[in-house]
Amino acid sequence: MEPLTGRKAEIVAAARDLLEAGGPEALTMRAIADRLGIQAPSLYKHFPDKDALEAALVAAGFVEQAETFAAVTRSRNPLPALARAYRAWATAHPHLYVLMTSRRLDRDSLPEGVEAAAAAPLLKACGGDPNRARAAWAFAHGMASLELANRFPPDADLDAAWRAGVDALQAPPTTPRST
Amino acid sequence: MEPLTGRKAEIVAAARDLLEAGGPEALTMRAIADRLGIQAPSLYKHFPDKDALEAALVAAGFVEQAETFAAVTRSRNPLPALARAYRAWATAHPHLYVLMTSRRLDRDSLPEGVEAAAAAPLLKACGGDPNRARAAWAFAHGMASLELANRFPPDADLDAAWRAGVDALQAPPTTPRST
DNA sequence: TCATAATGGCTTACGTTGTTAGCCACTATG
DNA sequence: CATAGTGGCTAACAACGTAAGCCATTATGA
């Protein structure tokens, strides 16, 4: 998939506005069409169905996320900075974040290489160990997703929990006992 | 909320069967009713709306999950065992797991104390440190949820990633650097 | 014992959703 | 200048959650 242009891009932009402003139930074919001064069925001249439109929305989100993360890689000791950036992005775009992470990934709808690009900063921060990088990714996604879903008790200190996880995951393993 | 009985419990059981067999789009008021030899509007004599029915489904899932986790607490060095149990539960009931974790939590619809009961084994395994326990929970949820959403590349060694995360999270912090 | 209320079905119907079918105007191309 | 593609339109459909209101059965209490 190459980047979107023209009407397709306008549609995705309208969809994104609606999603971020009103959550998933505001993301309606008719609402998207309305916002473009168009009738809902006309959208099907550009996307085969709502799922494909959402996939494009998700792909755009991934690109943006990858750029954001690449920007913080520069710092020495990048893991805490990456964690902060991850959490910040998720809470800045909660509905888009949920959409991006809850749909089963369709790799064909993603621009070539975005997946690797988004993963690269974290992989480098983890010394090239993909297992550690995946664990760190899972931790960050888990924290963000549980926070967005209101899963932590109201008195939880989320900053402290993030710190605890980041500290644990960046330290080299000292006494592995899990076999 | 006290445990369900009678017709309500039958409805929830039917809903659960449908969800686990056919995923979220199979979970329809009409389908649930059909399965009980009933008409859809009759369901509203038992639940005010679909959301409340789903909440009951989720609550039942939490109870079951809590029981499962409590059963593996016995082992010394319980964190790896808990992680395995967590992943096993999620992959055994993928649709229910997603429903349980993706809805914003309504604490009123949960039986008294289930939340604490489900968290207790993990908290104990983390030496009573709630931040570490939350980090471990986030890691486990992140791993499970990314796996279910097909997020890891096909060649990823998920067992190794789980091990990497569990090892890191159970070791006492050696060189915290995240301030 | 019998009126009364609660319980749990039913049918009908409504608004909203994604989506299909088919028509038409404009534009670019041979 | 014929033709094909592009991108709108209207009308309509099936499936969904749900509201309204009717009716049979069962339990209750005077």
Side-chain angles (χ1 to χ4, degrees):
Chain A
M1 277 269 322
E2 58 285 353
L4 296 186
T5 60
R7 209 75 232 249
K8 253 173 162 150
E10 292 178 334
I11 294 174
V12 169
R16 175 158 177 179
D17 287 349
L18 286 167
L19 176 65
E20 299 208 337
E25 66 261 32
L27 192 60
T28 302
M29 296 303 267
R30 286 176 170 84
I32 299 169
D34 265 21
R35 176 165 270 244
L36 297 168
I38 263 181
Q39 296 294 330
S42 301
L43 295 173
Y44 291 82
K45 300 287 174 157
H46 304 275
F47 293 95
D49 53 22
K50 192 190 184 188
D51 212 68
L53 203 162
E54 285 182 359
L57 195 53
V58 164
F62 276 128
V63 173
E64 189 180 306
Q65 229 189 13
E67 291 164 1
T68 305
F69 296 159
V72 296
T73 307
R74 300 267 160 222
S75 94
R76 211 171 40 79
N77 189 27
L79 202 60
L82 270 177
R84 271 190 294 270
Y86 194 95
R87 185 184 182 193
W89 202 93
T91 53
H93 316 285
H95 298 302
L96 181 54
Y97 181 83
V98 167
L99 189 72
M100 288 169 59
T101 53
S102 64
R103 299 165 45 89
R104 280 184 67 84
L105 184 57
D106 170 22
R107 296 199 157 76
D108 297 338
S109 71
L110 254 55
E112 191 69 29
V114 191
E115 207 177 358
L122 182 56
L123 188 59
K124 172 161 286 184
C126 289
D129 178 354
N131 292 321
R132 191 164 271 269
R134 282 172 197 136
W137 178 27
F139 163 72
H141 167 58
M143 286 296 300
S145 134
L146 292 173
E147 178 178 2
L148 293 182
N150 200 28
R151 266 327 194 272
F152 292 115
D155 61 319
D157 181 348
L158 298 190
D159 293 295
W162 273 93
R163 253 182 282 121
V166 169
D167 284 350
L169 284 160
Q170 83 180 332
T174 48
T175 35
R177 316 188 187 99
S178 79
T179 39
Chain B
M1 276 266 325
E2 57 286 350
L4 296 186
T5 59
R7 209 74 232 250
K8 253 174 164 150
E10 292 178 335
I11 294 175
V12 170
R16 175 157 178 180
D17 287 349
L18 286 167
L19 176 67
E20 299 208 338
E25 67 260 32
L27 191 60
T28 303
M29 296 303 268
R30 287 175 169 85
I32 299 169
D34 264 22
R35 176 167 270 244
L36 298 167
I38 262 179
Q39 297 294 331
S42 301
L43 294 173
Y44 291 82
K45 300 287 174 160
H46 305 275
F47 294 95
D49 53 23
K50 194 191 183 188
D51 212 69
L53 203 162
E54 285 183 359
L57 195 51
V58 165
F62 276 129
V63 173
E64 190 181 307
Q65 230 189 13
E67 291 165 359
T68 306
F69 297 158
V72 297
T73 307
R74 298 268 161 220
S75 96
R76 211 171 40 78
N77 189 26
L79 201 59
L82 270 177
R84 271 190 295 270
Y86 195 94
R87 184 184 182 194
W89 202 94
T91 53
H93 316 286
H95 297 302
L96 181 55
Y97 181 82
V98 168
L99 189 72
M100 287 167 59
T101 53
S102 63
R103 298 165 45 89
R104 281 184 67 85
L105 185 56
D106 170 23
R107 297 199 155 76
D108 297 338
S109 71
L110 256 55
E112 191 70 32
V114 191
E115 207 177 359
L122 181 56
L123 187 60
K124 173 161 288 185
C126 289
D129 177 353
N131 292 321
R132 192 163 271 271
R134 281 171 198 136
W137 178 26
F139 163 73
H141 167 57
M143 287 297 300
S145 135
L146 292 173
E147 179 178 2
L148 293 183
N150 200 27
R151 265 329 191 272
F152 291 114
D155 62 318
D157 182 348
L158 298 190
D159 293 297
W162 274 93
R163 253 181 282 121
V166 169
D167 284 350
L169 284 159
Q170 80 180 333
T174 49
T175 34
R177 315 188 187 99
S178 80
T179 39

